[in-house]
Amino acid sequence: MEQDDTVGSIADRARAPLETVLGERPTMEHVLLVLFLVVGVYMYQGASEFAPDAQTFPRLMAGGTAVLAFLLLARNHLTVVAPLVGAGLGAYLAYDGATTFLADGGGLVSLVAGVGLLVAVVGFRERFGEAVESFVAEPMQVMGDKETTEAPTADETEREEPPADEADPEAAADQTSSDEESESAAMYVYEIDDPKGPVVTGLLCVGYMLLTFTIGMLYATPIFVIAWTLWVRMNVIRAVALTVLSFVTAYLFYDLIQDDIAEGWLTGWELPAPDDLLGLWIHAGDLLQWGVMLG
Amino acid sequence: MTVESFFGAVEALLTAETMFWLLAGVIVGIIVGGLPGLGPPLGMAIILPLTLPLDPANAIILLVGVYSGSMYGGSIAAILINTPGVSSSAATMFDGYPMSQQGRAATALAISATASAFAGLFTITALILFSPALIEMVLAVGTPERFLVAILGLAMITVVTRGSFAKGILAGVAGLLVTTVGIAPMSLDQRYSETMYLYDGIDFVAVLIGLFAIAEMMKLAGQEGGIAKGEVTIDRAGVTEGITSTLKHPITVFKSANIGMIVGAIPGAGATVSNFVAYSEAVRSSNDPDSFGSGNEVGVIASEASNNGTVAGSLVPAISFGIPGSSSTAVLIGGLLMHDLRPGPSMFDPSGELTLTYTMLLALLVGNVVILIFGLSAVTQLGYLTKIDTDYIIPMVVVLSFLGTYALRINPIDILTVIVFGVIGFYMVRYNYSVIAFVLGVVLGDIAEENLYTALQLSDGSYMIFVNPLEYGRWISLFLSILIAALLFGPFIKRWWEDWQSA
């Protein structure tokens, strides 16, 4: 049987194990959560190098970020994962609290919280898993009607969820966004008609940044706008007007607020400013003469 | 002393320069609010770096002018093209757009201007009158309580905003984590400063611009529509009718303004929620509820009065404790911090910044008069705003965001921050993570850490200071701790209790 080696099929093959681990199709949300998890773990670890006074707050926040991101990533396996995480966290807090308590009499809150967590996990394992599951996955709302806060039953969940291979994650995200937009006044969510738009805008911003670091923002600005007008296929006259407007804006920043924006940070290049270029006009006659002579 | 500060504020406001910035702020705000897809936080975020050369009072006045103006401006697109310029004008569409389709666009716009202005005038006056009591309250709160109030604000946001509880808390905690980069407050240790460009930490202005401007532009780039397709006819004759209609419904204006003010003071709820609550209340109390949704003027009055009423309400937690009631007040707090003004007791201290606080409130008061005059006189021209294509708006907003951010410090990390947080913000909103909670974390981080640090110093490192009033005598701390626990665990305990009862 011939192996299908198209990009799509390779992506599908790479996605399959991820899908099994996550229990759902991977989307950009998972990328976001992995980012939070990695940053949280890195910053938690890094905080141990700071002076005791300076490490309390970052450790609390980094730890919280990492644990919550992990729980959200494992949301489809929480009945199993949550008690394990709870037990680990409880043991760590109890140990940390106990050693601090023995050393200087502090750490009582940590010790009590750790022991409490351990008792909760060991004594009510299933209940604990369900509680964490509802904390992570269910919509909770004080200012809303009851039906929207109720958890779907297992039957409903099965009925509503399309098979993984049929579901388009981006479309699903749009659908979710759209549904929630209509239901909720408290949460502001998007509908996306053209998924390429945000990606291209993001890439053009990255290009703008790289150009800024190379030739400075003064000249990177009109180039970015030209690239944008080409992408949206703007009428030439309007494109020129917009480019000129952007350049004038950049020039006003350069002239009135900060002239360092004209320098490329990576290269140290600073292209001649427009007023310098205008100064060159006095040599235009000479240049023309040389051109004619060379010609 | 309070009276002296008040008159000092009047004097400060009545200078030509201050009035110019106020006028400029309100007009820019109306334009930004009127452009479909843009809104108060975005407009304020872009303006924020530009305020650096201004003195703090004028900078804050410019920002509150933009805030107030764009709250009204948001109704223009809602009424004329059925697209709210800001999410807080969503309920205005229900009756504003049908009025526009019936050829009564001018009436709807005039109602919007008058209801917004009257509600703003009423709520700001109420806030000024209430301020002496507020000052007493804020000054009575100590360091441990201020830390707990910050956590309470975060907890409330996660409860009020819809979606997974864990997502809300994650957003807030991640926001707080961002602020731990750079110099630690109090101990002055360097943290996570892998490069010298991070010595001053991640600039919150860059984060705000990324979250509000770049994320929003990425969103707009993926959306179709939102621009007026045909000619919108606005007949000036409807203006008088609009003014009369608002004046005929003083109770709706009063009630909706109050709803806006109360809901606005709840962190995270903001004008979007108050807008719907006020609209629902107008429908509920009407003798003719069926007429709502097909051009009932009372619907527009309720919606517009509530969203401008929210401005005053959201300022209460913002300037008292540094807790933003909405994204816009988060940017406003960013502006205060950028100009070395700390939200909290010093903003209410007569020997501190009380004069500035009063100047800001009085500026909002005058700003509402500007909205009334400008809104009514420019009714026929406002339609042009809805015809500007997003293809022109997007590159200019990106350019202004980049220029504003980079010109602040010429730190390349700031540009990277704008892009990274733009992308993060885009996906956070897309997947239902509360950006407001994240912003609250970013804005509040230093203040929260500083108060936590001082509180722990008071208790020799014991967290019991927050929950043991017998030893530390801090009953407010215990009350706040219980409130936080109730907010976070209440829904789960309630469900367990119900399950247990039914079993």
Side-chain angles (χ1 to χ4, degrees), chain A residues 74-95:
Chain A
R75 62 190 156 205
N76 292 314
H77 311 286
L78 282 177
T79 43
V80 179
V81 172
L84 289 174
V85 173
L89 201 62
Y92 173 77
L93 285 173
Y95 171 77

Side-chain angles (χ1 to χ4, degrees), chain A residues 29 42-43 136 138 174 180, chain B residues 164 192 194 430 432 495:
Chain A
E29 184 188 5
Y42 170 77
M43 291 179 84
V136 169
E138 286 176 25
D174 283 345
E180 296 196 5
Chain B
S164 155
Y192 309 113
E194 316 297 354
R430 191 151 159 72
N432 239 348
R495 173 167 300 164

